[in-house]
Structure formats: structure tokens, C-alpha cells
Amino acid sequence: MNLLVKGITIADPNSEFNQQKVDLRVEGGKIVAIEKQLSPLKNETVVAADGAILSPGFFDLNCMIGDPGLETKEDLQSGTAAAKAGGFTGIAVLPTTKPVVQTKGAVEYILNRAKNNLVDVHPIGAISNDLEGKELAELFDMKNAGAVAFSDGSKAIADDGFMSRALQYALGLEGLLMVYPENKSIAGKAQVNESKNNVLLGMKGIPALAEEMQLTRDIYLATYHNAPIHISQISTAGSVALIKKAKKDGLKITCDVAAHQLVFTEELLNDFDSNYKVKPPLRSKADNKALIAGLKDGTIDAVASQHRPHEIEFKDVEFEIASYGIIALQTVLPLLLQAGLDADLIAEKLAINPRKLLKLEVPVIGIGATANFVVYHPQQEWEYNVNNNRSKAANSPLLGKTLKGKVQLVYNNKQFETYE
């Protein structure tokens, strides 16, 4: 279906039209015209988007979808519906399903289930069998089947020797390991950040040291093997400093941060709201500032949703026994705007860099290019509620809140969807 989007400002650092206010026409899945003023044609859908931003479609590096086996949390249909509504035209889905995505067949299952969708779905294979950190999963077969990277989700790999072997094996495959930084022996069973606040809460705290020690180990191992490594979901100022130095030293290291870690702080836990229970835990305002600075200076490569859907019985319980995580695909954009990121930086960290990290084609807003974009109003307010929540789950502290930054349109794979 042909489409004309009027009155948008392009936000794409790779485009010759970047920062220009234009109209844009799509025919047959291709961008065929970008001009100051375009008149509507017959049989063309016209979207008036005055004041809106048009960016390459967002891509999420860290998304949990329950298919296969945990579809009561989220299935591919509901997960991609939430992704679309959040401006995502591509997602990389974690292997934390039941059974774990650790074989060629499991990768092929996801790819077949996700065919003909507006949202591109890319499986991430497990690093270890059953996410236990003991035996390597079928990395070679999974990569050949279409796995874009390997991860054990939010389970850190404790065994140093196993991590060393995994890096060495992945290097031979030109595969990317995405690892979660937590030293479990330091973190223990604590569930909140270690600070004055955790003492007031009467709960044990996870020190920043737990994250930074694990990160240091992974830096040493990646240096030893001269192997690329991606650190998922950093949360501390110390981690930003360690990665900044590693990059300066020439290490092939990349990292991402969850959008909520840029805005939420540990003080939000004072009412023991389990919807704020995440892993890594919410940290301090100083950590927020360091993470935002790390995005702006290039230390942090990408922002991820860390979408973690759960049934009500896993979250509407006492804080200590509640599961970790929030649903996040529809709220990443408002949080990034709240954190003060401009349109070009959002495009870089949420659309361009995530695809670069996985060696996927990066959409460009240009004449003749394949159409893959999101249109959003950075100033438009909307209420996130049970009626417009596309996820099966409802574990978000932002439900019922008024947010600023509204997705109006997504286009990909010759399909588009609009949102009022």
C-alpha cells in the first residue's frame, strides 16, 4: 500500500536529509520521494505528522518473548504488537524460553513463527545448555540456522574457564557473546542496590562491585583471546568507566543499558512496589547521570528495553518473592526523552547501533531505500493504560501514568500501522 507522510523532520545521522523538515512517499515498500512539499496521489494513504520525527525503525537488543513454552507471559503475536506500538521494527529475542533456545531446530521454530510480520524477529541462541554455564550449546548450528548472537539472558556465567572457552569458540564462528555482568558470589541473594537506601528498607544490597568485578573478568578474558564481547544491561558509573577505558585500550567491547536505568532510581522502591524490581537493581541518581553521559560520549553503544513480561501471580506478591523485570517495549521512547536524549542520539542508540552490533542491515532514510521507519511526536502526551497496552502482561510501574513521546506510525516489510 502506498503511503505519504507529511510534515516530518528526519532524524537519521546516516541520511543526507537529516534534520530536514519534509514530506516522504513510499511506494511498493521503497522510499520514492523526499521533498519539502508533496501532493497526495490517488490510492495513497496520507498521514499528517506535523511536528513529528521520522527515524529508522527502532531495534531492541534485549527482549524476552515466552514462545516457546512460556506463552502465558508473552507470545510472538503479543510481543510484536507491543514492539510495533513502541516504534520497534526489529527485536532480538532472548533464549530464556521453555525449552531454552539452544538448538538449530529451536532457532528455526522462532524464525518460522515470526514470518510475514511487520516486526523483524531475530533469535538469540543460548551460550550454555539450559543456561547453566557448564556445557556449550550448539553455537555453530544455531548460527547457521539464523541466530544473530548468543546469550544466557540475565544469568551470569560464573565459571571463568567456561567463559574463556565460550569466547574462544565464538571467535572462530565470528559470533557475538552477549553476557550479563554479575558476580553471584558477591551479589548473593540480595535484590536491591547496596546503599543507605537498602539499610532503610531493611534489605540486603547488591553492591556495584558485583557488576564491576564480573565486567573486569570479562574484559581480561576478551583481551586475552582478542575476542569481541558485548556486555548487556550495565547499571553503574563504575561499569561506564571500565568500558570507556577498555575501548580506549582497543578492546572489541560493546555494551547496552536498559532505558529504565537512565531515569528510575532506588528511591522508587521505598513503597516496596514489585513493579520496580529489576535486575540489575535500580541504582542512584549519580549512576543515572553517568549512564546518560556514557551514551552521549559513545561509551555505551545502545539502549535496550529489557522487556520482561510476567503473569500477575509472579509480580502481585511480596517484594522478596516477586520475579524480576518490567514490560518495557512501549515505554522506551518516553523514558529516553525524559532522560534528555535528542532525536539523533535516539536514532543512533535505538535503531542504528543495535543492528550494527548484530551485523544486520541498517535502514537509511533516503530515496530508493527500503522503507523501515518510525514516526513519533516527541512532545505529545498519552496515557499508558490497560486499553493501549499491547503486551499480555501488565507488570509496568508506568501503567496508568501520562507519558510524553508518542509513536504515530511504523513501517516495515511493506506493512504499516498507525496509532491515534
Side-chain angles (χ1 to χ4, degrees):
M1 189 179 290
N2 297 340
L3 176 70
L4 176 62
V5 188
K6 295 189 66 66
I8 43 88
T9 299
I10 304 292
D12 178 7
N14 295 329
S15 171
E16 63 179 297
F17 298 97
N18 191 37
Q19 295 303 316
Q20 294 185 30
K21 186 172 182 179
V22 294
D23 296 347
L24 180 146
R25 171 169 286 129
V26 178
E27 294 180 359
K30 298 283 188 181
I31 299 172
V32 296
I34 301 175
E35 297 180 16
K36 291 290 184 185
Q37 191 75 31
L38 291 169
S39 300
L41 304 175
K42 286 185 179 180
N43 301 318
E44 184 173 61
T45 300
V46 180
V47 175
D50 288 338
I53 302 293
L54 187 146
S55 159
F58 301 152
F59 189 99
D60 189 30
L61 281 174
N62 195 289
C63 179
M64 190 272 179
I65 303 292
D67 200 352
L70 299 172
E71 292 91 348
T72 53
K73 295 181 184 291
E74 195 86 279
D75 58 30
L76 280 165
Q77 182 177 358
S78 63
T80 54
K84 284 186 290 188
F88 293 91
T89 59
I91 55 176
V93 295
L94 292 169
T96 50
T97 50
K98 194 175 183 179
V100 172
V101 177
Q102 58 191 22
T103 64
K104 170 185 175 182
V107 170
E108 291 174 341
Y109 167 84
I110 293 172
L111 291 172
N112 287 331
R113 289 274 291 166
K115 281 181 179 177
N116 305 317
N117 201 307
L118 183 151
V119 179
D120 299 318
V121 178
H122 298 274
I124 298 173
I127 298 172
S128 67
N129 285 332
D130 298 323
L131 312 179
E132 293 179 345
K134 296 177 180 178
E135 297 179 349
L136 278 175
E138 298 175 6
L139 273 61
F140 179 78
D141 288 345
M142 286 191 288
K143 188 172 191 298
N144 287 342
V148 291
F150 305 100
S151 169
D152 277 0
S154 294
K155 287 192 173 183
I157 295 173
D159 189 295
D160 301 337
F162 176 83
M163 184 63 190
S164 179
R165 292 189 295 275
L167 277 168
Q168 191 173 19
Y169 190 75
L171 179 62
L173 302 177
E174 295 185 354
L176 179 66
L177 298 190
M178 304 172 71
V179 297
Y180 177 70
E182 182 184 74
N183 184 306
K184 190 63 180 175
S185 65
I186 298 293
K189 295 182 180 180
Q191 300 179 347
V192 299
N193 184 44
E194 183 183 81
S195 67
K196 292 179 181 179
N197 203 62
N198 82 274
V199 177
L200 294 174
L201 294 174
M203 301 177 70
K204 292 181 179 179
I206 303 175
L209 178 69
E211 178 171 308
E212 293 155 16
M213 278 185 66
Q214 189 83 350
L215 175 54
T216 301
R217 182 207 68 174
D218 291 338
I219 288 173
Y220 271 110
L221 289 175
T223 302
Y224 178 74
H225 292 294
N226 192 27
I229 190 169
H230 181 84
I231 311 299
S232 295
Q233 313 302 283
I234 68 168
S235 66
T236 74
S239 290
V240 176
L242 285 167
I243 291 169
K244 188 171 187 176
K245 182 181 184 304
K247 286 191 169 188
K248 186 177 179 181
D249 292 343
L251 184 64
K252 304 168 189 173
I253 189 170
T254 53
C255 67
D256 64 65
V257 62
H260 57 255
Q261 294 286 3
L262 306 175
V263 176
F264 296 167
T265 61
E266 59 188 337
E267 286 79 16
L268 293 169
L269 301 175
N270 290 347
D271 293 329
F272 296 97
D273 183 349
S274 63
N275 282 322
Y276 286 110
K277 183 180 179 181
V278 292
K279 189 176 182 180
L282 299 179
R283 306 284 189 180
S284 69
K285 290 181 182 178
D287 290 306
N288 287 164
K289 290 179 180 178
L291 292 165
I292 292 169
L295 283 167
K296 291 180 177 180
D297 69 17
T299 301
I300 301 175
D301 299 273
V303 174
S305 75
Q306 204 184 31
H307 182 72
R308 299 291 188 274
H310 292 294
E311 302 91 337
I312 189 170
E313 60 265 29
F314 288 90
K315 291 297 278 188
D316 192 15
V317 292
E318 293 85 354
F319 189 92
E320 287 85 353
I321 62 173
S323 296
Y324 293 99
I326 61 175
I327 54 169
L329 285 165
Q330 289 180 243
T331 56
V332 170
L333 176 64
L335 290 178
L336 295 191
L337 292 167
Q338 186 179 340
L341 275 64
D342 62 29
D344 274 7
L345 195 59
I346 290 172
E348 179 188 345
K349 305 299 183 181
L350 204 55
I352 297 169
N353 284 1
R355 291 181 172 92
K356 278 185 178 179
L357 291 172
L358 300 180
K359 299 178 181 178
L360 300 172
E361 182 179 354
V362 177
V364 178
I365 309 304
I367 297 169
T370 300
N372 181 343
F373 57 78
V374 56
V375 175
Y376 65 90
H377 287 269
Q379 298 301 320
Q380 184 176 341
E381 293 187 342
W382 61 287
E383 183 185 292
Y384 183 35
N385 55 45
V386 294
N387 296 319
N388 56 31
N389 174 33
R390 299 298 195 272
S391 173
K392 278 189 175 184
N395 54 299
S396 170
L398 296 175
L399 276 171
K401 304 279 181 71
T402 297
L403 307 176
K404 183 180 286 188
K406 180 77 168 62
V407 171
Q408 181 179 2
L409 166 74
V410 282
Y411 191 110
N412 188 33
N413 295 331
K414 300 183 180 180
Q415 304 172 53
F416 71 88
E417 193 153 339
T418 57
Y419 300 92
E420 296 300 329

